[in-house]
Amino acid sequence: MRVVFAGTPAAAVPALRALVDSDRHEVAAVVTRPDAPAGRGRKLVRSPVGALADEHGIEVLTPAKASDPEFLARLREIGPDCCPVVAYGALLREEALSIPQHGWINLHFSLLPAWRGAAPVQAAIRHGDEITGASTFRIVRELDAGPVFGVVTEEILPTDTAGDLLERLSVSGAGLMTATLDGVEDGTVRAEEQPTDGVSYAPKVTVEDAKVDFTEPAPAVDRLIRAVTPDPGAWAWLGEERFKLGPVTVTEEKLRPGEIEVQKRRVLVGTGTTAVALGEVQAAGKKRMAATDWARGTRLEQGEELQ
């Protein structure tokens, strides 16, 4: 099929690469978010999907909105049979949805109807799910509610961060997307409506959502930190200074919530149940470092608390 691929971040790159390498589908163009400032110099940088398209000489479309008349006109000129989508990051309206014969097929990183929305991987980890996966579905007006073509499942490991899990899902999901498009072209796959039971939502995770509450039980603290790693990153206050926290390890020791205890080889912080051992800590404007190094440099006093 002749396709126009829509996607933006690194998690969408494996699916685009799989389609570029496919001998069955032609990637006629790529739609991605406009170049954005990045780094200390704040220079405009192409999205990961756009950069891969550039490498392969594929036309890159970067509309400010997917409803821009110039973009819609160009999409009609290209005439895609189908538009696969992976984490594009912009709302698609009816004018765009009606252009390809086979519609827009989205790869979503959850087992729909669970965790519709912007942050399904983070939500699955934070809520203690043991199994998650990826789904391909036809995009409709309602958020992530379209009929599903297929799924792949993935076990959530006890040490998984959102970054770890998303990396695995982006690879297995790429295979699912290719298989879905093959089946759509052959007429061998049919989309099934999502059940009405089991619907849950995963809104975008904000910086405030990533603040650690040490009055919560240790397993909840552990899951929250892993769910927001690497982005936006878990954090807590020590006095008037804010520190980012990497994944922790749940221990059997007891401290009051937020209380810091510096030991020879680890740094413990109390929670609502047992203490957790800090992994890496990052002060504002500095590099991440092991918690023991951070504790020595910070010269913590007995009884200080993370809040």
Side-chain angles (χ1 to χ4, degrees), residues 238-239 256 258-260 298-306:
L238 178 63
R256 69 177 183 272
E259 180 186 1
I260 302 171
T298 307
R299 298 179 182 178
L300 295 170
E301 296 182 8
Q302 189 67 28
E304 285 197 88
E305 294 182 2
L306 282 175

Side-chain angles (χ1 to χ4, degrees), residues 234-246:
W235 60 278
W237 294 106
L238 178 63
E240 296 183 354
E241 191 170 1
R242 196 170 94 169
F243 293 88
K244 279 193 171 184
L245 304 174

